[in-house]
Amino acid sequence: MEIDLNINGSPHSVDVDPSKPLLWVLRDDLGLVGTKYGCGRGLCGSCTVHLDGSAARSCLLPVGTLADRAITTIEGLGDGPDLHPLQEAWIKEDVPQCGYCQAGQIMTAAALLKRNATPTAGEIDAAMRGNLCRCGTYVRIRRAIQATANGGMA
Ligand code: FES
């Protein structure tokens, strides 16, 4: 089935089973491999993208339900060649260790700052709770979010 998608502000057309999860369409059909597979069950957050500006688990989204929705992946988070302020903060705070979960972490954090530009530490922890990091980079993640919230940049 031919499905028209709006990804990172550009139209894409894919011919796939409508039940195929967005995660696999992004990675396998469109080559957008910044979005990562972790659990495939909505439990880890590594596959997080934005759907109409809100954080969403792409492993749980049948692509056939997404026509006319605005999908943003980590590849489209910045402004053209410019990184998103959170990405700058991630670099400055040296957040990643293995790095695998970090795209999902940043996408969840970006959705948080979009709806709450000055979150408290508790609000950050609550928003980020569903994004797991096996390296335990949580303290640096919180610091990078706070730096972005307080200064607009790292
Ligand atoms: Fe989607 Fe884990 S891969 S939440």
Side-chain angles (χ1 to χ4, degrees), residues 35-92:
T35 305
K36 303 300 188 200
Y37 167 72
C39 66
R41 299 178 59 199
L43 301 172
C44 74
S46 66
C47 68
T48 303
V49 298
H50 291 178
L51 194 59
D52 297 330
S54 297
R57 302 283 160 90
S58 63
C59 70
L60 297 181
L61 294 172
V63 71
T65 67
L66 301 176
D68 302 323
R69 308 290 298 272
I71 299 161
T72 307
T73 69
I74 189 71
E75 290 90 347
L77 185 64
D79 185 9
D82 297 326
L83 294 177
H84 186 282
L86 274 171
Q87 294 172 302
E88 299 279 8
W90 242 248
I91 293 169
K92 185 173 182 192

Side-chain angles (χ1 to χ4, degrees), residues 9-139:
S10 298
H12 293 267
S13 189
V14 290
D15 188 8
V16 297
D17 183 329
S19 67
K20 187 172 183 174
L22 174 63
L23 170 64
W24 299 115
V25 173
L26 292 172
R27 291 184 57 83
D28 293 348
D29 297 290
L30 298 173
L32 294 169
V33 296
T35 305
K36 303 300 188 200
Y37 167 72
C39 66
R41 299 178 59 199
L43 301 172
C44 74
S46 66
C47 68
T48 303
V49 298
H50 291 178
L51 194 59
D52 297 330
S54 297
R57 302 283 160 90
S58 63
C59 70
L60 297 181
L61 294 172
V63 71
T65 67
L66 301 176
D68 302 323
R69 308 290 298 272
I71 299 161
T72 307
T73 69
I74 189 71
E75 290 90 347
L77 185 64
D79 185 9
D82 297 326
L83 294 177
H84 186 282
L86 274 171
Q87 294 172 302
E88 299 279 8
W90 242 248
I91 293 169
K92 185 173 182 192
E93 298 291 342
D94 205 11
V95 172
Q97 188 165 313
C98 85
Y100 194 83
C101 70
Q102 299 295 331
Q105 303 278 1
I106 290 171
M107 295 307 285
T108 298
L112 165 65
L113 293 183
K114 188 177 281 193
R115 67 176 189 274
N116 178 0
T118 55
T120 64
E123 287 170 335
I124 292 172
D125 290 346
M128 301 303 296
R129 187 167 293 138
N131 283 74
L132 306 182
C133 173
R134 294 186 70 175
C135 304
T137 62
Y138 300 112
V139 172

